[in-house]
Amino acid sequence: MLNDLLTPEGLREQAHVWESELSSWVAELGGYVKRAEARERLGAYLRGLLGDIERRNSWQLAEHQGDTRPYGFQHLINRARWDEDGARDAVQQRVYQALRDDDGVLVVDETGFLKKGRHSAGVKRQYSGTAGRIENCQIGVFLGYASCWGQGLIDRTLFLPRDWAEDRKRCRQAGIPETVGHKPKTALARDMLVHALDSGVTARWVTGDAVYGESFQLRWALEERDQGYVMAVSRKTHVWRGLEQRKVGDLLTVLQENAEFDWTRLSAGAGSQGPRLSDWAFLAINPGPFQGW
């Protein structure tokens, strides 16, 4: 079967299938763009992103397309009128249908986009995990779906700091609608998760780091719908153990001093510095406040 695919005829047939799928996807996405000119640019933009261009910015994409100026692509990205929610839902369903699996996982995380000026929406000096320090940047919160078949992004939202939200003149200059205000990153993540789950996306687990695991509102929103999750928390987090609340850090100290307790060293995969090893132990705590959880 593999040998058949590697023949010239097999490769041409596969290329035809890919082109047909891409054309179908471009046509579907084009339905969420208001003007015909922008829809025509959309196909060239996606093909450029999938190509072998070293830097996928508007200038490089325009040169690859044979244009002398990047204005068409810049208009598509910055000024064209989109049904953004419709496009988001279409991408979400396509990624989910391609990758869905009973053991699929929803992953919430954030990333920073380094900036030099102060006019980009939401930009300020704040911690960026990308840089590993406080930098002038924007912060985006993202929701991904991962399974044995691969992974893909299914939602995104821009974090708007409080000082930005309180300066409506600055918001208007940056193109931020009056209806958009400040929300904590955990609330943005909760909104995205609820939307995905309400849209029919299913996952065995929801996962995130301590930024999101520390939010009891986020955890409760998942518990209310019997959605399993595995999230990090800090040592300061309190949990119910028996008839009293205990700090996670205190429980860890007890476990580390108990030679009879069984710890297991597991890898979370390869990292930039080698295997990402962690020591794991299982300790039951009291169930949450929701019946049957």
Side-chain angles (χ1 to χ4, degrees):
M1 184 68 175
L2 180 60
N3 290 335
D4 293 340
L5 291 175
L6 294 178
T7 64
E9 295 78 8
L11 291 174
R12 282 194 292 270
E13 182 178 349
Q14 188 62 55
H16 177 73
V17 172
W18 288 343
E19 178 60 32
S20 177
E21 285 289 327
L22 179 59
S23 297
S24 172
W25 179 227
V26 170
E28 182 179 347
L29 276 184
Y32 300 102
V33 190
K34 302 300 181 182
R35 295 180 63 88
E37 296 89 340
R39 287 197 294 271
E40 292 174 1
R41 284 283 174 184
L42 179 60
Y45 182 73
L46 291 180
R47 285 177 170 82
L49 292 179
L50 293 170
D52 56 359
I53 306 172
E54 183 176 353
R55 297 183 62 191
R56 294 172 176 83
N57 56 37
S58 294
W59 276 101
Q60 297 287 340
L61 292 173
E63 290 180 2
H64 180 75
Q65 176 72 9
D67 297 338
T68 58
R69 295 287 187 272
Y71 304 144
F73 289 120
Q74 289 174 345
H75 175 82
L76 174 69
I77 298 170
N78 297 323
R79 295 182 297 278
R81 295 180 59 195
W82 283 78
D83 175 2
E84 295 178 1
D85 289 342
R88 181 270 317 276
D89 291 344
V91 170
Q92 185 174 104
Q93 287 304 311
R94 182 164 284 250
V95 170
Y96 178 60
Q97 294 303 323
L99 304 178
R100 64 183 301 175
D101 185 81
D102 290 343
D103 289 329
V105 179
L106 284 168
V107 185
V108 62
D109 201 2
E110 64 189 65
T111 192
F113 304 95
L114 302 184
K115 298 289 181 180
K116 292 186 177 180
R118 62 180 302 274
H119 301 295
S120 299
V123 69
K124 66 173 295 184
R125 287 189 60 79
Q126 52 194 328
Y127 180 78
S128 165
T130 307
R133 59 185 181 273
I134 294 177
E135 285 282 358
N136 194 60
C137 64
Q138 296 169 299
I139 298 293
V141 182
F142 294 86
L143 180 64
Y145 181 85
S147 74
C148 60
W149 307 112
Q151 58 278 325
L153 293 175
I154 62 173
D155 206 348
R156 79 290 168 260
T157 189
L158 180 69
F159 171 67
L160 189 66
R162 188 181 300 277
D163 52 349
W164 262 87
E166 293 173 349
D167 188 345
R168 298 318 302 183
K169 179 180 178 182
R170 190 182 185 192
C171 286
R172 286 192 293 272
Q173 291 173 341
I176 300 172
E178 294 291 332
T179 55
V180 176
H182 168 76
K183 274 189 176 184
K185 298 169 191 173
T186 52
L188 299 175
R190 185 173 70 246
D191 290 346
M192 289 192 293
L193 283 165
V194 169
H195 175 81
L197 295 169
D198 284 347
S199 299
V201 175
T202 61
R204 184 174 183 185
W205 307 105
V206 172
T207 187
D209 63 19
V211 171
Y212 303 96
E214 290 281 75
S215 170
F216 68 86
Q217 297 99 329
L218 175 53
R219 300 197 309 268
W220 283 9
L222 298 173
E223 291 178 18
E224 282 183 306
R225 53 198 309 151
D226 291 332
Q227 172 62 56
Y229 63 84
V230 179
M231 290 188 171
V233 294
S234 74
R235 297 175 63 91
K236 299 177 182 178
T237 301
H238 284 81
V239 296
W240 283 98
R241 175 74 172 160
L243 299 177
E244 61 179 344
Q245 280 192 316
R246 302 284 300 277
K247 285 185 178 180
V248 169
D250 294 341
L251 291 175
L252 284 175
T253 299
V254 172
L255 296 179
Q256 288 165 349
E257 294 174 350
N258 187 346
E260 297 180 357
F261 205 88
D262 185 25
W263 288 84
T264 302
R265 179 159 294 184
L266 299 173
S267 171
S272 59
Q273 306 299 321
R276 295 177 293 176
L277 297 172
S278 298
D279 291 326
W280 294 80
F282 176 84
L283 181 67
I285 59 175
N286 290 20
F290 301 104
Q291 186 69 26
W293 176 253

